Amino acid sequence: MLSAAHDILKKQESENGTTTFTLSVDFHGRNSSNSSRYDCNPISTAAVLLADILPTLIIKICAPFVIHKLPYGIRVLLCAVMAATSFLLVSFSSAVWMSILGVIFASFSSGLGELSFLSLTVFFTRDVLQGWGSGTGAAGVAGSFLYSGLTQIGLSPQTTLLIMLVVPVTMLISYFFLLVPPPSLPQWKSRNYVAVSSEDRRRLVDGHLYGYMIIPLGSCDQGLLKFVIPLGVVYFAEYFINQGLMELLYFPNFYLSHAEQYRWYQTLYQFGVLVSRSSLCCLKIRKLCALSLLQVVNAVLLLFAVRYQFLCSAWVVFPIVFYEGLLGGAAYVNTFYFISKETEDRQREFAMAAASVGDSLGIALAGLSAFPVHRYFCNL
């Protein structure tokens, strides 16, 4: 959906002469609706980002306290149904609001899925975290690469998104027929006897999340905040680049059109994520704050590049966004690896789910920050 963001917001005259917002756009021309040197869309791609992340954030904040009452089998079914609904809504949309609604369904599917599968990892050996990291990285590459590749060879975005319906079907097949669940994992009944008690949940949250909000930052070397804050900063900088700056890094004399440049930025970013999320077997990074700092430097560099236009070609941007993906993927997979390693057994399932709010909160703040940036540059 984020790879399609530039297309979702494109404005086109439909065949009957009325003005609509659709996904069938001219991929080889500029946006004729404005004369800015940045060739801006009327609406920032951050609008799609917010629709993509806010429902996920709501789920991640609220669900860890009640989600154990919903069996894993039902959660996976809900994820698949919402994902399929998302692809259908966006592919057949005739207005921006309908496309955004489709993105919201994708967000609910993504949020529930991430929270549920991270919790599921506690039923298996710790090695599955490497599989989770590689799988989520590969999902980003597959989604962005297929979307970019299929539209590049001439398929319409509608057709491309309908092809993507194979994803929720594959998800159901892989979960219910390929995955071998351990005996301790009940598929169709709630897990009150396995879940952390309400008192333990309250203590974990009060002692490790909210409690540290009111004391000096130097004391944040315990509990979940030492993981949540660096992860949130990395993802804030990352998605500020992806949805706030990438669409403005436009090179009119490059052989790719504006929409194509944007798609391949997203694809190369996802390749970087895949590589670093798959690196846990050979490299573990405990100093997550260093990754946060490097990603912020990335964001500042590209912000100045947009303002002063000192980068000469998209070829220069391509390795930068790949490197950006490397940092983001490394922060993600190492965060959850060390949470799994350092959290007590009876608190681990809840902690894995609760800590996943860090990346979503950072992404949501990035989306909000991208709007004034988009407005400022598009008015130059």
Side-chain angles (χ1 to χ4, degrees), residues 43-102:
I43 306 173
S44 169
T45 53
V48 177
L49 175 64
L50 287 176
D52 186 68
I53 200 60
L54 288 180
T56 293
L57 180 60
I58 292 170
I59 286 180
K60 288 184 177 181
I61 289 175
C62 301
F65 300 95
V66 296
I67 195 66
H68 61 282
K69 297 180 180 179
L70 189 64
Y72 279 104
I74 295 178
R75 297 191 215 179
V76 173
L77 284 174
L78 285 174
C79 289
V81 169
M82 288 187 288
T85 303
S86 168
F87 287 129
L88 291 171
L89 276 173
V90 177
S91 61
F92 291 114
S93 67
S94 58
V96 167
W97 70 265
M98 191 172 175
S99 294
I100 296 297
L101 180 62

Tab-separated table of all heavy atoms in Angstrom, residues 43-102:
chain	number	residue	atom	x	y	z
A	43	ILE	N	-2.231	15.926	-2.329
A	43	ILE	CA	-2.215	15.420	-0.963
A	43	ILE	C	-0.914	14.653	-0.771
A	43	ILE	O	-0.498	13.882	-1.638
A	43	ILE	CB	-3.413	14.483	-0.691
A	43	ILE	CG1	-4.727	15.171	-1.047
A	43	ILE	CG2	-3.436	14.036	0.769
A	43	ILE	CD1	-5.928	14.250	-0.961
A	44	SER	N	-0.276	14.831	0.367
A	44	SER	CA	0.961	14.119	0.643
A	44	SER	C	0.708	12.618	0.757
A	44	SER	O	-0.359	12.173	1.203
A	44	SER	CB	1.581	14.626	1.949
A	44	SER	OG	2.637	13.790	2.368
A	45	THR	N	1.710	11.816	0.362
A	45	THR	CA	1.601	10.373	0.567
A	45	THR	C	1.540	10.029	2.048
A	45	THR	O	1.220	8.900	2.415
A	45	THR	CB	2.793	9.643	-0.077
A	45	THR	OG1	4.023	10.213	0.404
A	45	THR	CG2	2.752	9.755	-1.592
A	46	ALA	N	1.828	11.002	2.910
A	46	ALA	CA	1.687	10.770	4.350
A	46	ALA	C	0.239	10.478	4.727
A	46	ALA	O	-0.020	9.850	5.758
A	46	ALA	CB	2.188	11.978	5.133
A	47	ALA	N	-0.723	10.920	3.902
A	47	ALA	CA	-2.126	10.602	4.168
A	47	ALA	C	-2.344	9.099	4.129
A	47	ALA	O	-3.056	8.525	4.969
A	47	ALA	CB	-3.027	11.299	3.141
A	48	VAL	N	-1.713	8.451	3.150
A	48	VAL	CA	-1.800	6.998	3.072
A	48	VAL	C	-1.064	6.366	4.244
A	48	VAL	O	-1.514	5.372	4.825
A	48	VAL	CB	-1.230	6.498	1.727
A	48	VAL	CG1	-1.245	4.975	1.664
A	48	VAL	CG2	-2.027	7.079	0.566
A	49	LEU	N	0.076	6.943	4.623
A	49	LEU	CA	0.835	6.416	5.754
A	49	LEU	C	0.002	6.448	7.030
A	49	LEU	O	-0.033	5.472	7.788
A	49	LEU	CB	2.119	7.216	5.944
A	49	LEU	CG	2.959	6.835	7.170
A	49	LEU	CD1	3.478	5.414	7.039
A	49	LEU	CD2	4.117	7.809	7.366
A	50	LEU	N	-0.694	7.563	7.286
A	50	LEU	CA	-1.496	7.664	8.507
A	50	LEU	C	-2.646	6.661	8.488
A	50	LEU	O	-2.948	6.034	9.508
A	50	LEU	CB	-2.031	9.090	8.666
A	50	LEU	CG	-0.982	10.131	9.072
A	50	LEU	CD1	-1.602	11.516	9.102
A	50	LEU	CD2	-0.372	9.793	10.432
A	51	ALA	N	-3.292	6.512	7.331
A	51	ALA	CA	-4.354	5.504	7.220
A	51	ALA	C	-3.784	4.108	7.418
A	51	ALA	O	-4.470	3.207	7.908
A	51	ALA	CB	-5.037	5.612	5.860
A	52	ASP	N	-2.527	3.934	7.053
A	52	ASP	CA	-1.878	2.632	7.146
A	52	ASP	C	-1.393	2.318	8.560
A	52	ASP	O	-1.265	1.156	8.918
A	52	ASP	CB	-0.684	2.593	6.175
A	52	ASP	CG	-0.044	1.228	6.091
A	52	ASP	OD1	-0.689	0.304	5.573
A	52	ASP	OD2	1.096	1.081	6.557
A	53	ILE	N	-1.145	3.336	9.376
A	53	ILE	CA	-0.512	3.077	10.671
A	53	ILE	C	-1.403	3.361	11.878
A	53	ILE	O	-1.270	2.710	12.919
A	53	ILE	CB	0.804	3.883	10.797
A	53	ILE	CG1	1.704	3.268	11.881
A	53	ILE	CG2	0.533	5.355	11.071
A	53	ILE	CD1	2.102	1.833	11.636
A	54	LEU	N	-2.326	4.331	11.794
A	54	LEU	CA	-3.111	4.675	12.987
A	54	LEU	C	-3.967	3.516	13.499
A	54	LEU	O	-3.987	3.259	14.712
A	54	LEU	CB	-3.969	5.914	12.710
A	54	LEU	CG	-3.190	7.235	12.613
A	54	LEU	CD1	-4.136	8.400	12.339
A	54	LEU	CD2	-2.384	7.501	13.889
A	55	PRO	N	-4.683	2.772	12.624
A	55	PRO	CA	-5.404	1.608	13.152
A	55	PRO	C	-4.471	0.579	13.773
A	55	PRO	O	-4.788	-0.021	14.806
A	55	PRO	CB	-6.105	1.054	11.904
A	55	PRO	CG	-6.246	2.229	10.996
A	55	PRO	CD	-5.001	3.023	11.202
A	56	THR	N	-3.297	0.375	13.151
A	56	THR	CA	-2.307	-0.530	13.729
A	56	THR	C	-1.883	-0.067	15.117
A	56	THR	O	-1.770	-0.872	16.055
A	56	THR	CB	-1.070	-0.612	12.811
A	56	THR	OG1	-1.438	-1.249	11.590
A	56	THR	CG2	0.048	-1.398	13.467
A	57	LEU	N	-1.652	1.240	15.264
A	57	LEU	CA	-1.230	1.785	16.552
A	57	LEU	C	-2.302	1.578	17.612
A	57	LEU	O	-2.006	1.208	18.752
A	57	LEU	CB	-0.913	3.274	16.397
A	57	LEU	CG	-0.452	4.013	17.653
A	57	LEU	CD1	0.827	3.399	18.197
A	57	LEU	CD2	-0.252	5.496	17.357
A	58	ILE	N	-3.553	1.813	17.243
A	58	ILE	CA	-4.656	1.624	18.196
A	58	ILE	C	-4.710	0.174	18.670
A	58	ILE	O	-4.857	-0.115	19.872
A	58	ILE	CB	-5.992	2.041	17.551
A	58	ILE	CG1	-6.011	3.553	17.320
A	58	ILE	CG2	-7.167	1.624	18.433
A	58	ILE	CD1	-7.175	4.033	16.487
A	59	ILE	N	-4.579	-0.755	17.730
A	59	ILE	CA	-4.599	-2.176	18.099
A	59	ILE	C	-3.442	-2.507	19.031
A	59	ILE	O	-3.608	-3.197	20.048
A	59	ILE	CB	-4.546	-3.051	16.827
A	59	ILE	CG1	-5.897	-3.012	16.107
A	59	ILE	CG2	-4.184	-4.488	17.169
A	59	ILE	CD1	-5.938	-3.830	14.845
A	60	LYS	N	-2.245	-2.016	18.705
A	60	LYS	CA	-1.073	-2.365	19.508
A	60	LYS	C	-1.128	-1.772	20.909
A	60	LYS	O	-0.571	-2.338	21.849
A	60	LYS	CB	0.200	-1.902	18.793
A	60	LYS	CG	0.537	-2.741	17.569
A	60	LYS	CD	1.847	-2.301	16.954
A	60	LYS	CE	2.238	-3.177	15.788
A	60	LYS	NZ	3.535	-2.777	15.199
A	61	ILE	N	-1.792	-0.618	21.061
A	61	ILE	CA	-1.902	-0.012	22.387
A	61	ILE	C	-2.929	-0.744	23.244
A	61	ILE	O	-2.709	-0.996	24.431
A	61	ILE	CB	-2.276	1.476	22.263
A	61	ILE	CG1	-1.087	2.282	21.701
A	61	ILE	CG2	-2.695	2.042	23.610
A	61	ILE	CD1	-1.409	3.727	21.430
A	62	CYS	N	-4.049	-1.104	22.631
A	62	CYS	CA	-5.164	-1.661	23.409
A	62	CYS	C	-5.143	-3.190	23.503
A	62	CYS	O	-5.484	-3.758	24.543
A	62	CYS	CB	-6.497	-1.226	22.775
A	62	CYS	SG	-6.720	0.563	22.676
A	63	ALA	N	-4.751	-3.851	22.416
A	63	ALA	CA	-4.943	-5.294	22.340
A	63	ALA	C	-4.124	-6.129	23.321
A	63	ALA	O	-4.606	-7.178	23.754
A	63	ALA	CB	-4.674	-5.770	20.906
A	64	PRO	N	-2.880	-5.762	23.674
A	64	PRO	CA	-2.117	-6.658	24.552
A	64	PRO	C	-2.811	-7.015	25.864
A	64	PRO	O	-2.516	-8.060	26.448
A	64	PRO	CB	-0.832	-5.856	24.819
A	64	PRO	CG	-0.654	-5.018	23.608
A	64	PRO	CD	-2.056	-4.616	23.218
A	65	PHE	N	-3.757	-6.175	26.309
A	65	PHE	CA	-4.420	-6.428	27.577
A	65	PHE	C	-5.608	-7.384	27.433
A	65	PHE	O	-6.087	-7.926	28.416
A	65	PHE	CB	-4.891	-5.113	28.191
A	65	PHE	CG	-3.764	-4.157	28.458
A	65	PHE	CD1	-3.430	-3.178	27.533
A	65	PHE	CD2	-3.009	-4.247	29.614
A	65	PHE	CE1	-2.382	-2.296	27.763
A	65	PHE	CE2	-1.963	-3.387	29.855
A	65	PHE	CZ	-1.639	-2.403	28.930
A	66	VAL	N	-6.097	-7.587	26.202
A	66	VAL	CA	-7.299	-8.409	26.025
A	66	VAL	C	-7.144	-9.459	24.929
A	66	VAL	O	-7.972	-10.362	24.820
A	66	VAL	CB	-8.520	-7.510	25.684
A	66	VAL	CG1	-8.842	-6.589	26.841
A	66	VAL	CG2	-8.278	-6.704	24.409
A	67	ILE	N	-6.102	-9.357	24.114
A	67	ILE	CA	-6.013	-10.187	22.919
A	67	ILE	C	-5.886	-11.666	23.250
A	67	ILE	O	-6.253	-12.530	22.445
A	67	ILE	CB	-4.805	-9.726	22.045
A	67	ILE	CG1	-4.909	-10.312	20.634
A	67	ILE	CG2	-3.494	-10.112	22.705
A	67	ILE	CD1	-6.050	-9.813	19.836
A	68	HIS	N	-5.387	-12.005	24.472
A	68	HIS	CA	-5.231	-13.413	24.838
A	68	HIS	C	-6.567	-14.134	24.933
A	68	HIS	O	-6.611	-15.360	24.933
A	68	HIS	CB	-4.471	-13.537	26.164
A	68	HIS	CG	-5.174	-12.890	27.322
A	68	HIS	ND1	-5.147	-11.523	27.522
A	68	HIS	CD2	-5.920	-13.418	28.319
A	68	HIS	CE1	-5.850	-11.235	28.608
A	68	HIS	NE2	-6.326	-12.356	29.111
A	69	LYS	N	-7.665	-13.379	24.990
A	69	LYS	CA	-8.994	-13.989	25.048
A	69	LYS	C	-9.489	-14.420	23.671
A	69	LYS	O	-10.497	-15.115	23.567
A	69	LYS	CB	-9.991	-13.016	25.676
A	69	LYS	CG	-9.655	-12.657	27.125
A	69	LYS	CD	-10.662	-11.680	27.707
A	69	LYS	CE	-10.312	-11.323	29.153
A	69	LYS	NZ	-11.264	-10.355	29.725
A	70	LEU	N	-8.791	-13.989	22.618
A	70	LEU	CA	-9.187	-14.338	21.256
A	70	LEU	C	-8.248	-15.421	20.734
A	70	LEU	O	-7.036	-15.204	20.646
A	70	LEU	CB	-9.109	-13.095	20.346
A	70	LEU	CG	-9.691	-13.217	18.939
A	70	LEU	CD1	-11.192	-13.451	19.010
A	70	LEU	CD2	-9.394	-11.954	18.135
A	71	PRO	N	-8.745	-16.608	20.400
A	71	PRO	CA	-7.875	-17.701	19.948
A	71	PRO	C	-7.066	-17.326	18.711
A	71	PRO	O	-7.513	-16.538	17.871
A	71	PRO	CB	-8.872	-18.828	19.628
A	71	PRO	CG	-10.077	-18.511	20.437
A	71	PRO	CD	-10.161	-17.016	20.482
A	72	TYR	N	-5.893	-17.929	18.595
A	72	TYR	CA	-4.998	-17.595	17.484
A	72	TYR	C	-5.612	-17.928	16.130
A	72	TYR	O	-5.414	-17.198	15.156
A	72	TYR	CB	-3.669	-18.322	17.657
A	72	TYR	CG	-2.730	-17.638	18.620
A	72	TYR	CD1	-2.547	-18.133	19.906
A	72	TYR	CD2	-2.048	-16.494	18.247
A	72	TYR	CE1	-1.687	-17.499	20.794
A	72	TYR	CE2	-1.187	-15.844	19.134
A	72	TYR	CZ	-1.014	-16.361	20.405
A	72	TYR	OH	-0.173	-15.724	21.283
A	73	GLY	N	-6.354	-19.016	16.037
A	73	GLY	CA	-6.966	-19.372	14.762
A	73	GLY	C	-7.924	-18.311	14.260
A	73	GLY	O	-7.949	-17.978	13.061
A	74	ILE	N	-8.720	-17.752	15.165
A	74	ILE	CA	-9.663	-16.700	14.785
A	74	ILE	C	-8.916	-15.434	14.394
A	74	ILE	O	-9.296	-14.728	13.454
A	74	ILE	CB	-10.644	-16.436	15.942
A	74	ILE	CG1	-11.516	-17.670	16.185
A	74	ILE	CG2	-11.509	-15.210	15.654
A	74	ILE	CD1	-12.483	-17.536	17.338
A	75	ARG	N	-7.836	-15.117	15.094
A	75	ARG	CA	-7.043	-13.932	14.747
A	75	ARG	C	-6.519	-14.021	13.309
A	75	ARG	O	-6.579	-13.052	12.546
A	75	ARG	CB	-5.851	-13.798	15.702
A	75	ARG	CG	-6.200	-13.583	17.155
A	75	ARG	CD	-4.929	-13.211	17.905
A	75	ARG	NE	-4.919	-13.747	19.260
A	75	ARG	CZ	-3.920	-13.590	20.109
A	75	ARG	NH1	-2.837	-12.932	19.737
A	75	ARG	NH2	-3.967	-14.110	21.328
A	76	VAL	N	-5.994	-15.195	12.946
A	76	VAL	CA	-5.433	-15.357	11.606
A	76	VAL	C	-6.536	-15.246	10.547
A	76	VAL	O	-6.340	-14.630	9.488
A	76	VAL	CB	-4.689	-16.698	11.497
A	76	VAL	CG1	-4.237	-16.958	10.064
A	76	VAL	CG2	-3.486	-16.708	12.433
A	77	LEU	N	-7.688	-15.822	10.816
A	77	LEU	CA	-8.817	-15.687	9.884
A	77	LEU	C	-9.201	-14.227	9.700
A	77	LEU	O	-9.449	-13.766	8.573
A	77	LEU	CB	-10.018	-16.488	10.396
A	77	LEU	CG	-9.960	-18.014	10.230
A	77	LEU	CD1	-11.161	-18.662	10.911
A	77	LEU	CD2	-9.937	-18.387	8.748
A	78	LEU	N	-9.278	-13.472	10.797
A	78	LEU	CA	-9.603	-12.046	10.710
A	78	LEU	C	-8.561	-11.290	9.893
A	78	LEU	O	-8.909	-10.435	9.061
A	78	LEU	CB	-9.705	-11.447	12.114
A	78	LEU	CG	-10.962	-11.782	12.919
A	78	LEU	CD1	-10.840	-11.240	14.345
A	78	LEU	CD2	-12.197	-11.220	12.242
A	79	CYS	N	-7.285	-11.595	10.100
A	79	CYS	CA	-6.218	-10.941	9.335
A	79	CYS	C	-6.397	-11.169	7.841
A	79	CYS	O	-6.267	-10.248	7.028
A	79	CYS	CB	-4.851	-11.463	9.773
A	79	CYS	SG	-4.338	-10.921	11.408
A	80	ALA	N	-6.678	-12.412	7.456
A	80	ALA	CA	-6.819	-12.749	6.042
A	80	ALA	C	-8.033	-12.064	5.419
A	80	ALA	O	-7.969	-11.535	4.304
A	80	ALA	CB	-6.915	-14.258	5.878
A	81	VAL	N	-9.145	-12.060	6.131
A	81	VAL	CA	-10.365	-11.432	5.600
A	81	VAL	C	-10.170	-9.932	5.424
A	81	VAL	O	-10.556	-9.350	4.399
A	81	VAL	CB	-11.559	-11.716	6.535
A	81	VAL	CG1	-12.754	-10.856	6.155
A	81	VAL	CG2	-11.929	-13.205	6.477
A	82	MET	N	-9.558	-9.283	6.404
A	82	MET	CA	-9.332	-7.834	6.306
A	82	MET	C	-8.330	-7.497	5.202
A	82	MET	O	-8.481	-6.490	4.503
A	82	MET	CB	-8.872	-7.275	7.648
A	82	MET	CG	-9.980	-7.226	8.691
A	82	MET	SD	-9.512	-6.370	10.220
A	82	MET	CE	-8.399	-7.568	10.942
A	83	ALA	N	-7.310	-8.337	5.015
A	83	ALA	CA	-6.348	-8.089	3.942
A	83	ALA	C	-7.023	-8.198	2.576
A	83	ALA	O	-6.811	-7.363	1.685
A	83	ALA	CB	-5.189	-9.074	4.050
A	84	ALA	N	-7.847	-9.244	2.387
A	84	ALA	CA	-8.542	-9.409	1.117
A	84	ALA	C	-9.506	-8.249	0.863
A	84	ALA	O	-9.602	-7.729	-0.260
A	84	ALA	CB	-9.302	-10.738	1.110
A	85	THR	N	-10.211	-7.823	1.905
A	85	THR	CA	-11.115	-6.679	1.778
A	85	THR	C	-10.353	-5.429	1.371
A	85	THR	O	-10.821	-4.641	0.540
A	85	THR	CB	-11.847	-6.436	3.112
A	85	THR	OG1	-12.549	-7.613	3.488
A	85	THR	CG2	-12.822	-5.264	2.992
A	86	SER	N	-9.165	-5.262	1.913
A	86	SER	CA	-8.343	-4.100	1.588
A	86	SER	C	-7.989	-4.060	0.104
A	86	SER	O	-8.172	-3.046	-0.567
A	86	SER	CB	-7.064	-4.132	2.427
A	86	SER	OG	-6.125	-3.197	1.948
A	87	PHE	N	-7.485	-5.175	-0.419
A	87	PHE	CA	-7.103	-5.207	-1.833
A	87	PHE	C	-8.299	-4.930	-2.742
A	87	PHE	O	-8.190	-4.229	-3.747
A	87	PHE	CB	-6.491	-6.563	-2.176
A	87	PHE	CG	-5.117	-6.764	-1.613
A	87	PHE	CD1	-4.810	-7.902	-0.882
A	87	PHE	CD2	-4.114	-5.818	-1.803
A	87	PHE	CE1	-3.540	-8.098	-0.359
A	87	PHE	CE2	-2.847	-6.006	-1.283
A	87	PHE	CZ	-2.561	-7.148	-0.561
A	88	LEU	N	-9.463	-5.482	-2.392
A	88	LEU	CA	-10.659	-5.287	-3.223
A	88	LEU	C	-11.124	-3.834	-3.181
A	88	LEU	O	-11.472	-3.252	-4.216
A	88	LEU	CB	-11.769	-6.220	-2.748
A	88	LEU	CG	-11.536	-7.716	-3.014
A	88	LEU	CD1	-12.589	-8.555	-2.299
A	88	LEU	CD2	-11.565	-7.999	-4.510
A	89	LEU	N	-11.137	-3.240	-1.995
A	89	LEU	CA	-11.588	-1.850	-1.876
A	89	LEU	C	-10.698	-0.897	-2.664
A	89	LEU	O	-11.180	-0.026	-3.390
A	89	LEU	CB	-11.616	-1.436	-0.405
A	89	LEU	CG	-12.859	-1.801	0.400
A	89	LEU	CD1	-12.649	-1.471	1.875
A	89	LEU	CD2	-14.084	-1.069	-0.133
A	90	VAL	N	-9.375	-1.058	-2.530
A	90	VAL	CA	-8.465	-0.134	-3.202
A	90	VAL	C	-8.478	-0.349	-4.709
A	90	VAL	O	-8.461	0.602	-5.493
A	90	VAL	CB	-7.035	-0.275	-2.643
A	90	VAL	CG1	-6.070	0.631	-3.395
A	90	VAL	CG2	-7.010	0.071	-1.167
A	91	SER	N	-8.546	-1.596	-5.142
A	91	SER	CA	-8.494	-1.858	-6.578
A	91	SER	C	-9.754	-1.370	-7.294
A	91	SER	O	-9.688	-0.940	-8.447
A	91	SER	CB	-8.296	-3.349	-6.843
A	91	SER	OG	-9.366	-4.108	-6.321
A	92	PHE	N	-10.908	-1.407	-6.631
A	92	PHE	CA	-12.157	-0.981	-7.268
A	92	PHE	C	-12.604	0.416	-6.821
A	92	PHE	O	-13.730	0.818	-7.093
A	92	PHE	CB	-13.268	-1.988	-6.972
A	92	PHE	CG	-13.078	-3.308	-7.651
A	92	PHE	CD1	-12.850	-4.451	-6.906
A	92	PHE	CD2	-13.093	-3.408	-9.037
A	92	PHE	CE1	-12.660	-5.672	-7.531
A	92	PHE	CE2	-12.905	-4.628	-9.668
A	92	PHE	CZ	-12.683	-5.765	-8.920
A	93	SER	N	-11.735	1.150	-6.166
A	93	SER	CA	-12.130	2.450	-5.630
A	93	SER	C	-12.372	3.453	-6.745
A	93	SER	O	-11.735	3.416	-7.803
A	93	SER	CB	-11.049	2.989	-4.685
A	93	SER	OG	-9.876	3.290	-5.410
A	94	SER	N	-13.298	4.356	-6.484
A	94	SER	CA	-13.583	5.432	-7.427
A	94	SER	C	-13.337	6.796	-6.800
A	94	SER	O	-13.622	7.816	-7.420
A	94	SER	CB	-15.047	5.339	-7.891
A	94	SER	OG	-15.931	5.398	-6.785
A	95	ALA	N	-12.829	6.820	-5.578
A	95	ALA	CA	-12.547	8.079	-4.892
A	95	ALA	C	-11.455	7.841	-3.861
A	95	ALA	O	-11.220	6.701	-3.433
A	95	ALA	CB	-13.806	8.619	-4.202
A	96	VAL	N	-10.793	8.911	-3.470
A	96	VAL	CA	-9.706	8.792	-2.503
A	96	VAL	C	-10.188	8.188	-1.193
A	96	VAL	O	-9.525	7.329	-0.605
A	96	VAL	CB	-9.065	10.177	-2.255
A	96	VAL	CG1	-8.161	10.132	-1.024
A	96	VAL	CG2	-8.230	10.578	-3.459
A	97	TRP	N	-11.387	8.599	-0.719
A	97	TRP	CA	-11.855	8.106	0.572
A	97	TRP	C	-12.014	6.586	0.563
A	97	TRP	O	-11.740	5.909	1.552
A	97	TRP	CB	-13.173	8.770	0.975
A	97	TRP	CG	-14.365	8.351	0.153
A	97	TRP	CD1	-14.883	8.976	-0.939
A	97	TRP	CD2	-15.184	7.186	0.367
A	97	TRP	NE1	-15.969	8.284	-1.434
A	97	TRP	CE2	-16.175	7.184	-0.647
A	97	TRP	CE3	-15.174	6.151	1.291
A	97	TRP	CZ2	-17.152	6.190	-0.755
A	97	TRP	CZ3	-16.143	5.149	1.189
A	97	TRP	CH2	-17.113	5.182	0.174
A	98	MET	N	-12.417	6.040	-0.574
A	98	MET	CA	-12.595	4.593	-0.674
A	98	MET	C	-11.241	3.870	-0.649
A	98	MET	O	-11.080	2.821	-0.020
A	98	MET	CB	-13.350	4.265	-1.957
A	98	MET	CG	-13.829	2.839	-2.061
A	98	MET	SD	-14.903	2.646	-3.512
A	98	MET	CE	-15.184	0.869	-3.442
A	99	SER	N	-10.247	4.469	-1.324
A	99	SER	CA	-8.900	3.898	-1.283
A	99	SER	C	-8.331	3.954	0.130
A	99	SER	O	-7.714	3.000	0.613
A	99	SER	CB	-7.978	4.659	-2.244
A	99	SER	OG	-8.370	4.477	-3.584
A	100	ILE	N	-8.537	5.091	0.810
A	100	ILE	CA	-8.043	5.228	2.181
A	100	ILE	C	-8.713	4.218	3.104
A	100	ILE	O	-8.078	3.631	3.989
A	100	ILE	CB	-8.263	6.668	2.691
A	100	ILE	CG1	-7.450	7.661	1.857
A	100	ILE	CG2	-7.896	6.779	4.162
A	100	ILE	CD1	-5.949	7.471	1.940
A	101	LEU	N	-10.017	3.975	2.890
A	101	LEU	CA	-10.714	2.971	3.684
A	101	LEU	C	-10.094	1.594	3.467
A	101	LEU	O	-9.924	0.810	4.416
A	101	LEU	CB	-12.201	2.940	3.314
A	101	LEU	CG	-13.069	1.935	4.076
A	101	LEU	CD1	-13.075	2.252	5.569
A	101	LEU	CD2	-14.500	1.924	3.523
A	102	GLY	N	-9.723	1.301	2.230
A	102	GLY	CA	-9.046	0.041	1.956
A	102	GLY	C	-7.717	-0.062	2.669
A	102	GLY	O	-7.357	-1.125	3.206
